[in-house]
Every structure is written in structure tokens, then in C-alpha cells.
Amino acid sequence: MAETGTNVMKWNKGEILGGPGRLVVNDDISLRPTRISDVMELTAPYALKEGWRDLGATQEGINISRGFDTEDFEIDQSVQPIDKTVSSFTTSLSTTLAQDSIQNRQLSMIGGAIKENSATLGEAVALTAPTLIGAKLIKVSDVTAIKKDGFIIVEDETRQVANVDTATKTVTLKKALEKAHEADVSEEKSVTPITELGTKDIGYGAPSDITHFQAAIISKMDDGTLRLTVFYDVMLSGDEVETTYGKDKKVLPLSLTAFPVDDLSEDENVYKEFQQTI
């Protein structure tokens, strides 16, 4: 876009940008994306490529920080330094995760492996009347094992029970069904009470090695083009993470340090940006 403005003052509105980013991660630090489509499909629903996963909603933006330290170079013949040399470079990435998923807690609080435990199921009963999409009332052959505030599975849809009418054998669901279901015939039984929900468990300890991973930010410009920023090798910075059980929503601070990789030149071995052009 050409410069706009009048007289002395000039600006380019197309380069005045803002808006949120999509933060994604990948456990494989050997990846070297060379285009945006290596990370994400470029058309709806913009699915991530294999290995990448979303960290979801964030608060107060996703921040990239770059800095370096220098040391003075002095000689006997001058009372002030005649040059500076770069002694260290730092690149960091920080945000606050608003989605308190077990995967995000594993990442931000250095959790162990996530283990899944199956639900305990009761004896299935028959659906005695067909249901439409959006139905909250279902009729079954037996409600003995179905409890208020418990859960049931209607074919492949899991729903919490709002109420049970033992006289009419009618179950009221807290959330409507998304599919239509035919009444069971013969020996078919498609409604299963859940005695105890399945669980995911995760432990937190004091590991000696912290996992490195890859991170990327995907953003959309005002003109509809995309920008991708890929950090080749990051790990948690070690800053203390505090999460609060209170009146406000729980959030997870996330602070990452980026490191150079050894298979790229030193002027592009920490992170790289890809910006679409029109």
C-alpha cells in the first residue's frame, strides 16, 4: 500500500495493525516450517496440521520480547569505550491462558503424563420413543439406575440428567440432544446409565529436565492476509505460575524462553515470520 497523508506527514494505514493471535504448540522441535500452510490449513475451518495443538483463548495479548546485553571495549588510549560487543541475546514469549484445560495445566505448570480412566457404566435400557433434534425429554424402558444429576449415554451423546419421572419413565436432560434417535426395537438397548464418570489424572513433581517444544502465533491482518511467527525451540522460563480458586475465572500465566537452533544461520535461528502478500 502506498503512503498516504498530506504535506510533510506521511503514514501507511495498512501497516498499523492490531488484533489477537492464535497460539499453538508442537512437541517436535525439529520442524522447520517454510510457509503458513505447514502449520495450518489456509481455508475454513483452518485446521492445524498434524502435531500442532491450540492453547486457546488468552488474556492481555501474546507478548514477544527481544533484547541483548553488551560489554564495553576499552583501550588504553581512550578514556571512554570505543566499541561495544554483544555478550548475550534474549527472546521471550508470554501470555495468560484463559482456558484451564488439563493439557494447558500440564504445559504451564510442568505436569506429568495425562492418564485416562474409563467411565463405569450401568446396565443399558431401551429408548421406547423416538426423539427429534433438540429434544430434552426421552422415554426409556427402566429408570431404576438413572439418577437426577447423574449422566447417561444416548447412543453416542452423553448428557446430564435434570429430572427423572418414575411414573412415566421419562428422563429430562439438562442439555438438548444434537441428533435424532429412533426408538429401540427387539433386544436393542441404546440408553446407558453412567455409574461413575471417567477421569483424567495428572501428577506434578520436581523433574530435573524440562521439555522443549515449538510455538507459533497465527494472526490475521485487516486486509485478510495471515502472518505466522514460529519459535523453533522454547521452554518454560521458570517464572512462578499462580492460579487462583476464587470469584474470578481461573487463568494460567505462561512465560517462555526461546533458544537458537544449530542448523540455521545465526541471523534467523531463533524465530521466523511469514507474512502473506497481496
Side-chain angles (χ1 to χ4, degrees), residues 35-135:
R35 52 188 179 178
I36 298 174
S37 59
D38 289 340
V39 175
M40 181 188 75
E41 296 288 350
L42 300 181
T43 56
Y46 302 101
L48 296 175
K49 294 300 181 70
E50 183 178 357
W52 293 94
R53 70 176 178 88
D54 278 294
L55 298 186
T58 59
Q59 280 190 334
E60 300 178 2
I62 304 167
N63 307 302
I64 301 172
S65 298
R66 291 267 284 168
F68 62 92
D69 292 328
T70 61
E71 293 181 356
D72 291 340
F73 183 75
E74 299 179 349
I75 61 174
D76 297 337
Q77 289 77 16
S78 175
V79 295
Q80 69 179 42
I82 64 167
D83 200 358
K84 286 181 179 290
T85 58
V86 176
S87 58
S88 66
F89 234 106
T90 57
T91 303
S92 62
L93 177 68
S94 63
T95 189
T96 299
L97 303 178
Q99 293 186 203
D100 186 36
S101 67
I102 192 169
Q103 290 84 4
N104 282 356
R105 295 196 302 276
Q106 180 191 47
L107 176 68
S108 64
M109 305 190 77
I110 317 172
I114 299 171
K115 301 176 184 177
E116 296 195 34
N117 307 293
S118 301
T120 303
L121 305 179
E123 186 175 348
V125 297
L127 184 67
T128 57
T131 67
L132 299 175
I133 296 173

Side-chain angles (χ1 to χ4, degrees), residues 98-271:
Q99 293 186 203
D100 186 36
S101 67
I102 192 169
Q103 290 84 4
N104 282 356
R105 295 196 302 276
Q106 180 191 47
L107 176 68
S108 64
M109 305 190 77
I110 317 172
I114 299 171
K115 301 176 184 177
E116 296 195 34
N117 307 293
S118 301
T120 303
L121 305 179
E123 186 175 348
V125 297
L127 184 67
T128 57
T131 67
L132 299 175
I133 296 173
K136 282 191 173 183
L137 296 177
I138 65 170
K139 289 184 174 292
V140 296
S141 59
D142 185 4
V143 296
T144 304
I146 301 175
K147 308 297 182 184
K148 180 180 177 181
D149 296 325
F151 290 82
I152 62 172
I153 304 171
V154 183
E155 289 189 6
D156 59 349
E157 296 190 72
T158 301
R159 292 292 183 271
Q160 190 171 19
V161 175
N163 191 50
V164 180
D165 188 329
T166 56
T168 62
K169 297 181 181 178
T170 300
V171 179
T172 304
L173 306 175
K174 290 191 175 183
K175 182 182 177 183
L177 295 169
E178 295 179 358
K179 302 176 184 178
H181 299 275
E182 297 292 333
D184 293 330
V185 295
S186 184
E187 299 298 319
E188 222 178 319
K189 295 179 178 180
S190 63
V191 179
T192 306
I194 299 177
T195 305
E196 184 175 345
L197 287 172
T199 60
K200 292 180 179 179
D201 63 67
I202 181 172
Y204 299 87
S208 56
D209 294 319
I210 307 300
T211 302
H212 288 235
F213 54 95
Q214 198 160 114
I217 303 170
I218 304 163
S219 56
K220 189 175 183 180
M221 306 298 104
D222 291 342
D223 61 4
T225 59
L226 299 173
R227 178 184 294 177
L228 171 71
T229 305
V230 177
F231 296 83
Y232 296 121
D233 182 358
V234 300
M235 67 175 287
L236 292 175
S237 66
D239 293 343
E240 191 170 287
V241 176
E242 181 179 282
T243 181
T244 303
Y245 289 84
K247 293 181 180 180
D248 295 330
K249 302 291 187 184
K250 283 180 63 182
V251 294
L252 296 166
L254 182 69
S255 180
L256 307 174
T257 299
F259 301 99
V261 294
D262 58 11
D263 60 326
L264 296 174
S265 61
E266 67 176 9
D267 60 342
E268 58 176 32
N269 61 358
V270 177
Y271 73 93

